[in-house]
PDB file of all heavy atoms in Angstrom:
ATOM      1  N   ASP A 140     110.127-124.108  39.487  1.00 78.00           N
ATOM      2  CA  ASP A 140     110.887-125.356  39.339  1.00 78.00           C
ATOM      3  C   ASP A 140     109.984-126.456  38.787  1.00 78.00           C
ATOM      4  O   ASP A 140     110.431-127.564  38.544  1.00 78.00           O
ATOM      5  CB  ASP A 140     111.405-125.825  40.719  1.00 78.00           C
ATOM      6  CG  ASP A 140     112.280-124.761  41.347  1.00 78.00           C
ATOM      7  OD1 ASP A 140     112.963-124.058  40.583  1.00 78.00           O
ATOM      8  OD2 ASP A 140     112.255-124.627  42.588  1.00 78.00           O
ATOM      9  N   LEU A 141     108.721-126.109  38.634  1.00 79.00           N
ATOM     10  CA  LEU A 141     107.756-127.116  38.165  1.00 79.00           C
ATOM     11  C   LEU A 141     108.147-127.671  36.809  1.00 79.00           C
ATOM     12  O   LEU A 141     108.046-128.872  36.567  1.00 79.00           O
ATOM     13  CB  LEU A 141     106.363-126.493  38.062  1.00 79.00           C
ATOM     14  CG  LEU A 141     105.479-126.507  39.299  1.00 79.00           C
ATOM     15  CD1 LEU A 141     104.195-125.781  39.008  1.00 79.00           C
ATOM     16  CD2 LEU A 141     105.187-127.928  39.741  1.00 79.00           C
ATOM     17  N   VAL A 142     108.516-126.771  35.924  1.00 82.00           N
ATOM     18  CA  VAL A 142     108.905-127.183  34.565  1.00 82.00           C
ATOM     19  C   VAL A 142     110.128-126.375  34.126  1.00 82.00           C
ATOM     20  O   VAL A 142     110.332-125.251  34.592  1.00 82.00           O
ATOM     21  CB  VAL A 142     107.769-126.949  33.527  1.00 82.00           C
ATOM     22  CG1 VAL A 142     106.730-128.020  33.586  1.00 82.00           C
ATOM     23  CG2 VAL A 142     107.153-125.594  33.707  1.00 82.00           C
ATOM     24  N   THR A 143     110.872-126.959  33.191  1.00 84.00           N
ATOM     25  CA  THR A 143     112.038-126.232  32.666  1.00 84.00           C
ATOM     26  C   THR A 143     111.630-125.503  31.389  1.00 84.00           C
ATOM     27  O   THR A 143     110.580-125.821  30.796  1.00 84.00           O
ATOM     28  CB  THR A 143     113.174-127.217  32.322  1.00 84.00           C
ATOM     29  OG1 THR A 143     112.675-128.081  31.303  1.00 84.00           O
ATOM     30  CG2 THR A 143     113.604-128.003  33.538  1.00 84.00           C
ATOM     31  N   PHE A 144     112.462-124.581  30.946  1.00 85.00           N
ATOM     32  CA  PHE A 144     112.161-123.876  29.703  1.00 85.00           C
ATOM     33  C   PHE A 144     112.134-124.857  28.528  1.00 85.00           C
ATOM     34  O   PHE A 144     111.313-124.736  27.625  1.00 85.00           O
ATOM     35  CB  PHE A 144     113.197-122.762  29.448  1.00 85.00           C
ATOM     36  CG  PHE A 144     113.006-122.100  28.111  1.00 85.00           C
ATOM     37  CD1 PHE A 144     111.893-121.307  27.865  1.00 85.00           C
ATOM     38  CD2 PHE A 144     113.917-122.310  27.070  1.00 85.00           C
ATOM     39  CE1 PHE A 144     111.698-120.726  26.621  1.00 85.00           C
ATOM     40  CE2 PHE A 144     113.712-121.731  25.829  1.00 85.00           C
ATOM     41  CZ  PHE A 144     112.602-120.932  25.614  1.00 85.00           C
ATOM     42  N   ARG A 145     113.025-125.837  28.580  1.00 86.00           N
ATOM     43  CA  ARG A 145     113.098-126.819  27.500  1.00 86.00           C
ATOM     44  C   ARG A 145     111.753-127.555  27.365  1.00 86.00           C
ATOM     45  O   ARG A 145     111.253-127.769  26.267  1.00 86.00           O
ATOM     46  CB  ARG A 145     114.224-127.818  27.801  1.00 86.00           C
ATOM     47  CG  ARG A 145     114.600-128.658  26.605  1.00 86.00           C
ATOM     48  CD  ARG A 145     115.796-129.534  26.878  1.00 86.00           C
ATOM     49  NE  ARG A 145     115.913-130.524  25.842  1.00 86.00           N
ATOM     50  CZ  ARG A 145     115.277-131.679  25.845  1.00 86.00           C
ATOM     51  NH1 ARG A 145     114.487-131.971  26.851  1.00 86.00           N
ATOM     52  NH2 ARG A 145     115.424-132.522  24.852  1.00 86.00           N
ATOM     53  N   GLN A 146     111.198-127.902  28.531  1.00 85.00           N
ATOM     54  CA  GLN A 146     109.894-128.594  28.517  1.00 85.00           C
ATOM     55  C   GLN A 146     108.808-127.666  27.973  1.00 85.00           C
ATOM     56  O   GLN A 146     107.962-128.085  27.181  1.00 85.00           O
ATOM     57  CB  GLN A 146     109.524-129.036  29.934  1.00 85.00           C
ATOM     58  CG  GLN A 146     110.268-130.267  30.384  1.00 85.00           C
ATOM     59  CD  GLN A 146     109.952-130.580  31.838  1.00 85.00           C
ATOM     60  OE1 GLN A 146     109.968-129.687  32.685  1.00 85.00           O
ATOM     61  NE2 GLN A 146     109.683-131.845  32.110  1.00 85.00           N
ATOM     62  N   LEU A 147     108.866-126.417  28.420  1.00 86.00           N
ATOM     63  CA  LEU A 147     107.848-125.459  27.947  1.00 86.00           C
ATOM     64  C   LEU A 147     107.979-125.238  26.435  1.00 86.00           C
ATOM     65  O   LEU A 147     106.979-125.146  25.727  1.00 86.00           O
ATOM     66  CB  LEU A 147     107.988-124.122  28.687  1.00 86.00           C
ATOM     67  CG  LEU A 147     107.536-124.119  30.142  1.00 86.00           C
ATOM     68  CD1 LEU A 147     107.830-122.791  30.796  1.00 86.00           C
ATOM     69  CD2 LEU A 147     106.050-124.419  30.251  1.00 86.00           C
ATOM     70  N   PHE A 148     109.225-125.177  25.981  1.00 88.00           N
ATOM     71  CA  PHE A 148     109.457-124.990  24.535  1.00 88.00           C
ATOM     72  C   PHE A 148     108.867-126.180  23.765  1.00 88.00           C
ATOM     73  O   PHE A 148     108.209-126.006  22.735  1.00 88.00           O
ATOM     74  CB  PHE A 148     110.968-124.867  24.272  1.00 88.00           C
ATOM     75  CG  PHE A 148     111.290-124.534  22.845  1.00 88.00           C
ATOM     76  CD1 PHE A 148     111.249-123.219  22.398  1.00 88.00           C
ATOM     77  CD2 PHE A 148     111.613-125.531  21.924  1.00 88.00           C
ATOM     78  CE1 PHE A 148     111.528-122.907  21.069  1.00 88.00           C
ATOM     79  CE2 PHE A 148     111.888-125.231  20.598  1.00 88.00           C
ATOM     80  CZ  PHE A 148     111.856-123.911  20.177  1.00 88.00           C
ATOM     81  N   ALA A 149     109.111-127.381  24.307  1.00 89.00           N
ATOM     82  CA  ALA A 149     108.576-128.589  23.659  1.00 89.00           C
ATOM     83  C   ALA A 149     107.050-128.556  23.652  1.00 89.00           C
ATOM     84  O   ALA A 149     106.407-128.905  22.653  1.00 89.00           O
ATOM     85  CB  ALA A 149     109.084-129.820  24.382  1.00 89.00           C
ATOM     86  N   VAL A 150     106.468-128.094  24.765  1.00 88.00           N
ATOM     87  CA  VAL A 150     104.999-128.029  24.844  1.00 88.00           C
ATOM     88  C   VAL A 150     104.448-127.049  23.818  1.00 88.00           C
ATOM     89  O   VAL A 150     103.463-127.336  23.113  1.00 88.00           O
ATOM     90  CB  VAL A 150     104.562-127.618  26.278  1.00 88.00           C
ATOM     91  CG1 VAL A 150     103.101-127.198  26.301  1.00 88.00           C
ATOM     92  CG2 VAL A 150     104.776-128.764  27.226  1.00 88.00           C
ATOM     93  N   VAL A 151     105.110-125.902  23.706  1.00 89.00           N
ATOM     94  CA  VAL A 151     104.637-124.902  22.728  1.00 89.00           C
ATOM     95  C   VAL A 151     104.781-125.457  21.301  1.00 89.00           C
ATOM     96  O   VAL A 151     103.892-125.289  20.463  1.00 89.00           O
ATOM     97  CB  VAL A 151     105.402-123.558  22.897  1.00 89.00           C
ATOM     98  CG1 VAL A 151     105.023-122.584  21.782  1.00 89.00           C
ATOM     99  CG2 VAL A 151     105.104-122.942  24.253  1.00 89.00           C
TER     100      VAL A 151
END
Side-chain angles (χ1 to χ4, degrees):
Chain A
D140 302 327
L141 272 177
V142 281
T143 62
F144 174 69
R145 194 174 166 275
Q146 283 175 314
L147 287 175
F148 186 83
V150 165
V151 173

